[in-house]
Amino acid sequence: AAELKGALERLLDRRSRTVEAAGGWDAVKASMSGQKEPDHDLETEGIARGRKKRAPDNPIDSPLGSRDDFTAPRLPEDIEAIPGSKMQRRISHEFYQLKELELRARASRLDITDQRRLAFHNSDRFSREVFTALPDNYFRPTNEIYRMAAATCLGLPLNIAMGNAGNRVDRYGFKLSNDGTAHTRHTLHNSLRDRIIYFMRLGSSTVSKEPKDLLLSATGRPMIPDIAYQEEEGPTSSRPRLLDIKTLGGGTKQYTSTKSGNLRKGAHVREEAVPKEYSARARRYDREGDPNLTENQKGPLEKTLDDHGGAIGLCFGFYAEASPKVHKLVGILADKWLEQESAGSFDFFGNQDQAKARMVRLIRKNLGLTCAFGWASHKIHALHKLNRRRRHQLHMAEEIDRELQIDENPAILYSQGQGRAGTE
């Protein structure tokens, strides 16, 4: 007992000295976000535990308690789900918090444009599934796909032969991720949508995929969200909620813009834009049907959109990270699943917190790996298609050059024919 007590004291003393060496908590937090304002990503455990939790009226729309809810490597509920004594869990929690602090201090010394810093700043627990999840029969990536996914999540250059397209593709795969000719980015989007719908149905939620009749303008133009689901069942339930899934490629303005004075998380920025985009489209469609609508008037389509509570954005980013509402949705899906009889296999002798933590990790693993490996597969397909196109262009250039030579000197054909005849 005395040795264990001494080890804990040394661990806590090392943690406090690391904080002081980095200039204190506020200095480390501000350096990571590029501003002087404190960053709640490094909120202490005491503050996180003391925060009051209230059941929101609209769970998925309510803001997270703090960004610590989806950026910390391990939260108290994760620690509670680790088998072993409370002392072991406490030591594990302190150890991971220390490692997190050391990584943030090292990342803060990198330039704000360094891809390793951008990857570390944007990555979350979804991204880390690439390194922490155990392999299974469902996720079996090739070596090429896994190497590309791991390099992207770490902010490292891609370790893959670029071929003829090498001079047109950046080292990190930003252009490949935004290439629309490979048609595999749509596959990534649909895979994420289908996984979310699958877990919604496990919780017995009423779900519709791409409903075309919920948002129709007076001229018959539809607005089609990816998912419509009934948040609460029953005769007094409100209209279905509308979810729209977005995938955010690398190198975009959402990742690099510092107009607000600090470096924001790209997936969060893209998620916030979705409700405004839906409202703007609804207003435009309404005015196509009725040009007499004034600026302050709402048309029928915009009113219908408001009745559904607006559109909710769910964004999955280049680093396999997820936006805050995805993290919120995972908790809701776990709660719904926990109410079903099929959740009995997750029961920890009646401990609901541990059962929910296990479900959350399972859902997060499925979405995180689907996103990471889907991005890698898309970039590889885009690269192969660019190489095929480049080879075709080179072949065409050779043919054009040959035609020009024949136009300038038709005797080329005769001399080549003589040469072939002589050899035969």
Side-chain angles (χ1 to χ4, degrees):
E3 292 179 1
L4 181 58
K5 181 179 178 182
L8 279 175
E9 290 175 352
R10 288 193 299 273
L11 177 63
L12 296 175
D13 179 64
R14 182 187 172 194
R15 180 183 176 195
S16 62
R17 282 189 280 107
T18 305
V19 173
E20 292 172 2
W25 284 100
D26 292 338
V28 176
K29 293 183 284 187
S31 62
M32 281 304 299
S33 60
Q35 62 164 6
K36 294 182 179 180
E37 183 179 337
D39 187 344
H40 298 290
D41 281 356
L42 298 176
E43 202 172 34
T44 61
E45 182 191 4
I47 296 175
R49 285 185 175 179
R51 189 190 306 118
K52 293 182 178 179
K53 295 185 178 180
R54 178 180 61 86
D57 298 330
N58 201 350
I60 195 172
D61 273 350
S62 62
L64 294 171
S66 77
R67 282 176 289 172
D68 183 50
D69 288 344
F70 62 95
T71 56
R74 289 186 182 272
L75 286 180
E77 62 264 25
D78 294 321
I79 300 302
E80 290 297 325
I82 297 177
S85 67
K86 291 184 178 180
M87 181 64 71
Q88 289 174 324
R89 293 196 294 265
R90 177 64 181 174
I91 293 175
S92 298
H93 197 190
E94 293 292 338
F95 174 77
Y96 279 106
Q97 281 195 333
L98 174 61
K99 287 296 183 182
E100 176 79 1
L101 178 61
E102 291 175 347
L103 282 174
R104 289 188 179 279
R106 291 174 60 186
S108 66
R109 294 191 289 269
L110 298 174
D111 187 81
I112 198 169
T113 59
D114 193 301
Q115 294 305 321
R116 293 170 296 173
R117 180 171 182 174
L118 287 175
F120 185 80
H121 178 69
N122 285 279
S123 64
D124 58 10
R125 287 182 287 172
F126 283 82
S127 312
R128 294 164 192 151
E129 292 295 334
V130 174
F131 308 104
T132 60
L134 295 175
D136 57 25
N137 291 330
Y138 188 80
F139 294 102
R140 285 189 169 185
T142 64
N143 292 337
E144 190 179 38
I145 287 177
Y146 187 84
R147 285 200 307 268
M148 182 168 285
T152 299
C153 293
L154 294 173
L156 300 176
L158 302 182
N159 183 20
I160 187 173
M162 294 297 181
N164 296 323
N167 59 344
R168 303 172 58 192
V169 177
D170 58 274
R171 298 168 58 208
Y172 297 94
F174 297 150
K175 290 183 180 179
L176 293 176
S177 68
N178 293 298
D179 187 282
T181 61
H183 303 296
T184 47
R185 183 161 175 177
H186 192 63
T187 304
L188 166 64
H189 170 276
N190 289 350
S191 298
L192 291 167
R193 178 202 62 200
D194 293 343
R195 296 309 295 171
I196 291 174
I197 291 177
Y198 170 77
F199 286 111
M200 283 182 168
R201 287 176 175 162
L202 282 180
S204 296
S205 298
T206 303
V207 186
S208 300
K209 180 169 70 175
E210 296 183 353
K212 298 178 175 62
D213 55 347
L214 291 181
L215 298 174
L216 282 174
S217 67
T219 58
R221 296 186 65 179
M223 293 173 60
I224 306 175
D226 289 308
I227 299 173
Y229 85 104
Q230 200 70 42
E231 200 166 45
E232 295 179 0
E233 305 291 342
T236 60
S237 60
S238 59
R239 291 198 177 192
R241 303 310 313 271
L242 309 178
L243 306 180
D244 199 71
I245 299 170
K246 300 295 182 184
T247 55
L248 183 63
T252 56
K253 61 182 180 180
Q254 288 87 350
Y255 284 117
T256 57
S257 176
T258 55
K259 290 182 179 179
S260 60
N262 62 323
L263 188 63
R264 299 190 62 194
K265 297 182 184 295
H268 194 175
V269 175
R270 184 66 187 93
E271 175 189 86
E272 290 177 339
V274 171
K276 300 174 185 177
E277 292 171 356
Y278 265 73
S279 297
R281 280 179 59 193
R283 289 178 65 82
R284 187 170 73 251
Y285 288 1
D286 281 332
R287 277 149 185 76
E288 289 176 0
D290 186 1
N292 297 322
L293 287 173
T294 64
E295 183 67 24
N296 298 325
Q297 282 183 310
K298 289 187 176 183
L301 181 58
E302 191 173 4
K303 290 179 181 178
T304 303
L305 180 63
D306 291 343
D307 291 341
H308 286 280
I312 299 172
L314 303 175
C315 182
F316 294 86
F318 177 75
Y319 303 101
E321 82 278 18
S323 59
K325 283 188 173 59
V326 178
H327 290 262
K328 178 67 68 175
L329 178 63
V330 168
I332 296 173
L333 295 178
D335 286 331
K336 290 282 189 181
W337 193 2
L338 202 58
E339 297 172 0
Q340 310 305 314
E341 293 183 0
S342 60
S345 59
F346 295 90
D347 186 31
F348 282 86
F349 301 100
N351 191 322
Q352 296 292 309
D353 291 336
Q354 291 187 2
K356 180 180 177 180
R358 189 175 177 186
M359 288 180 171
V360 166
R361 288 200 303 274
L362 177 61
I363 298 172
R364 189 190 301 135
K365 171 187 173 180
N366 272 264
L367 295 179
L369 295 184
T370 298
C371 183
F373 296 152
W375 273 122
S377 179
H378 165 66
K379 286 182 285 189
I380 291 172
H381 278 86
L383 179 61
H384 290 171
K385 187 153 189 174
L386 283 175
N387 279 325
R388 288 197 300 270
R389 190 188 312 159
R390 180 62 176 166
R391 284 194 295 270
H392 178 69
Q393 290 173 348
L394 290 174
H395 179 70
M396 291 292 294
E398 292 174 356
E399 290 291 330
I400 292 173
D401 185 56
R402 175 176 167 77
E403 293 292 335
L404 290 174
Q405 290 179 6
I406 292 173
D407 290 340
E408 293 176 358
N409 185 15
I412 293 177
L413 289 174
Y414 177 76
S415 62
Q416 290 178 348
Q418 285 268 11
R420 287 194 297 270
T423 57
E424 294 173 355

